[in-house]
Amino acid sequence: MAVGKVTFTKAEREKLAEVLWLLNWISVVTGAILFGLGLFLKIEIQKWQEVMSDQGILYVPHMLITTGLVACGINFLGGKICLDCTDTNKFLRWKLVMMPYVICTFFFTSCVLVGALMCYSIRSQLEESLFLGLRNAMRYYKDTDTPGRCYLKRTVDLLQIQFNCCGNSGYRDWFQVQWISNRYLDMTRLINLTNRVQFSNVEGKYLTDGVPFSCCSTFSPRPCIQQQISNSSAHFNYDQQSLQLNLWRRGCRQALLDHYTGIMQSIGLTVLLIWLFELLVLTGVRYLQTAMENVLRLGDPDSESDGWILENSLAETARSNFNIIKNLGKCYQVDDDPNINIPAATAEQEVPSHQVQIPVTS
């Protein structure tokens, strides 16, 4: 029994073809939107790629860009096919193309759904990428004269100012790294230097309870305190509990994660709506294809014809496709049928001369 069987008159088939022609052109626009969303997401990721590890998260925008371009091509072709389906004679030119086109459109629609799901499932991978990338960026913050790292300080400072954040998980992350270059430290004055060090000198690194200037909050009522943060007695009228008014409390990893999560959720919702629209167009094209093929079988262009999504039930369709795949696999197996002719013996298999019997004549 056919799934989703609908009977169409000639006028209804023509109307369906015209509507699908219009929907395919709208789908070309949605394909351009997919391309634009992927390009926008790629640019947004590349803005702060210096503070991300190389985790390959660009595959999501690349997926959207590729899907958008394919959508424009497929739906442009679909518009031409649907327009010709208003005439039975013109449909004959596309009869052999329709089924491959429907199959390709089905896989393309599945890719749109996968792209939407990727936007919601990338959060954990993005968080790990930001954690590793920010940790390395803070470690190399001081290397302003090292090729390949000279712009990291500027990037991190812009990040902390723009997103009102400090450190990886918080401002105390700066206490664990040496963020002041040795070229600006007088290493001969070890006595004065030691007095300013909060933690023990580890591997010759200058660790201090201070943060870069970009961690300072613009809402602070007093000049920013960014050195000897843990020492309340080092500053007049300083209450460490009110530190939240002095420095940004939120870590940059969480700030960037929230930023990208908001973008991903918006893009994912848009892509999901596009997938539903493409699914509607695909269903209409399938009905049009089956209805037009049944018209050709009937031989009367003016007669009514049935259209469906699946010609048989879902179980029967799955079983039929499985048998087709199974039979294709048998084509590559050696047939051991005993009725197959065996070639004659070769020259190497000739009977020895001493076994040849010569007939004796009387």
Side-chain angles (χ1 to χ4, degrees):
M1 181 178 179
V3 177
K5 184 177 179 180
V6 178
T7 302
F8 295 92
T9 63
K10 179 182 179 182
E12 289 173 343
R13 288 194 302 269
E14 293 177 353
K15 189 66 176 180
L16 178 62
E18 293 172 355
V19 171
L20 287 174
W21 171 80
L22 178 61
L23 293 181
N24 271 283
W25 277 107
I26 296 176
S27 296
V28 173
V29 177
T30 60
I33 293 175
L34 274 177
F35 174 81
L37 290 175
L39 193 61
F40 168 75
L41 182 58
K42 182 177 181 179
I43 293 174
E44 282 295 317
I45 291 176
Q46 287 180 337
K47 280 183 181 179
W48 304 108
Q49 198 168 15
E50 286 184 276
V51 295
M52 298 182 189
S53 66
D54 188 14
Q55 294 289 326
I57 59 175
L58 283 174
Y59 69 86
V60 177
H62 289 164
M63 175 74 170
L64 295 177
I65 290 173
T66 304
T67 305
L69 292 175
V70 173
C72 292
I74 286 182
N75 290 300
F76 178 82
L77 176 62
K80 175 61 176 174
I81 293 176
C82 292
L83 183 63
D84 287 348
C85 284
T86 56
D87 187 352
T88 307
N89 295 326
K90 291 182 179 180
F91 173 75
L92 291 173
R93 295 183 298 181
W94 302 103
K95 184 178 182 298
L96 298 178
V97 180
M98 282 296 289
M99 194 58 191
Y101 170 78
V102 171
I103 294 174
C104 291
T105 306
F106 173 76
F107 283 108
F108 151 72
T109 308
S110 302
C111 290
V112 176
L113 177 61
V114 171
L117 297 178
M118 281 181 177
C119 293
Y120 290 101
S121 62
I122 197 178
R123 179 182 173 88
S124 58
Q125 186 177 356
L126 179 62
E127 185 175 8
E128 182 182 0
S129 176
L130 288 172
F131 173 78
L132 298 176
L134 282 168
R135 185 182 64 181
N136 292 332
M138 292 173 62
R139 185 182 301 168
Y140 303 134
Y141 178 87
K142 65 181 185 302
D143 299 339
T144 53
D145 52 354
T146 303
R149 303 175 185 170
C150 51
Y151 293 108
L152 266 179
K153 178 182 181 300
R154 177 178 178 273
T155 301
V156 173
D157 285 334
L158 286 176
L159 172 65
Q160 296 189 142
I161 292 173
Q162 181 173 337
F163 286 91
N164 297 341
C165 60
C166 184
N168 195 333
S169 301
Y171 69 92
R172 290 186 177 274
D173 293 335
W174 288 107
F175 299 174
Q176 312 296 328
V177 296
Q178 177 183 339
W179 55 273
I180 301 176
S181 176
N182 288 336
R183 64 186 296 187
Y184 303 114
L185 297 174
D186 187 0
M187 304 304 294
T188 61
R189 300 173 61 186
L190 295 178
I191 297 178
N192 294 334
L193 191 62
T194 305
N195 293 334
R196 297 181 57 192
V197 176
Q198 177 187 6
F199 302 100
S200 300
N201 195 288
V202 180
E203 298 179 356
K205 296 180 180 179
Y206 176 47
L207 304 180
T208 180
D209 58 340
V211 296
F213 77 96
S214 53
C215 284
C216 293
S217 172
T218 56
F219 298 105
S220 176
R222 65 177 296 165
C224 182
I225 296 175
Q226 59 183 110
Q227 297 292 340
Q228 300 187 46
I229 296 173
S230 302
N231 187 2
S232 300
S233 61
H235 311 283
F236 176 74
N237 195 21
Y238 175 67
D239 182 12
Q240 190 177 353
Q241 299 299 325
S242 62
L243 185 62
Q244 57 183 347
L245 298 176
N246 183 65
L247 301 175
W248 300 120
R249 304 284 289 183
R250 185 172 62 160
C252 291
R253 172 163 51 97
Q254 187 63 43
L256 277 176
L257 189 62
D258 292 343
H259 171 69
Y260 284 120
T261 299
I263 294 177
M264 292 287 192
Q265 289 179 347
S266 300
I267 292 178
L269 179 60
T270 304
V271 176
L272 194 60
L273 293 175
I274 292 176
W275 171 73
L276 292 174
F277 180 77
E278 293 290 344
L279 194 62
L280 174 65
V281 176
L282 174 61
T283 304
V285 172
R286 175 60 174 166
Y287 272 117
L288 182 62
Q289 174 216 353
T290 52
M292 294 300 295
E293 288 180 352
N294 287 330
V295 167
L296 295 180
R297 292 192 187 102
L298 295 173
D300 184 6
D302 298 327
S303 64
E304 294 183 350
S305 62
D306 294 331
W308 50 69
I309 298 177
L310 295 175
E311 186 174 0
N312 300 312
S313 65
L314 188 61
E316 292 177 355
T317 303
R319 192 181 304 112
S320 175
N321 292 332
F322 177 77
N323 290 333
I324 292 175
I325 297 174
K326 186 177 179 180
N327 291 332
L328 287 175
K330 290 182 178 179
C331 295
Y332 297 95
Q333 298 178 358
V334 178
D335 199 338
D336 296 330
D337 191 344
N339 295 324
I340 297 179
N341 295 329
I342 300 176
T346 56
E348 292 81 359
Q349 298 174 335
E350 291 181 354
V351 180
S353 58
H354 67 274
Q355 297 181 3
V356 175
Q357 297 180 1
I358 301 176
V360 180
T361 57
S362 57

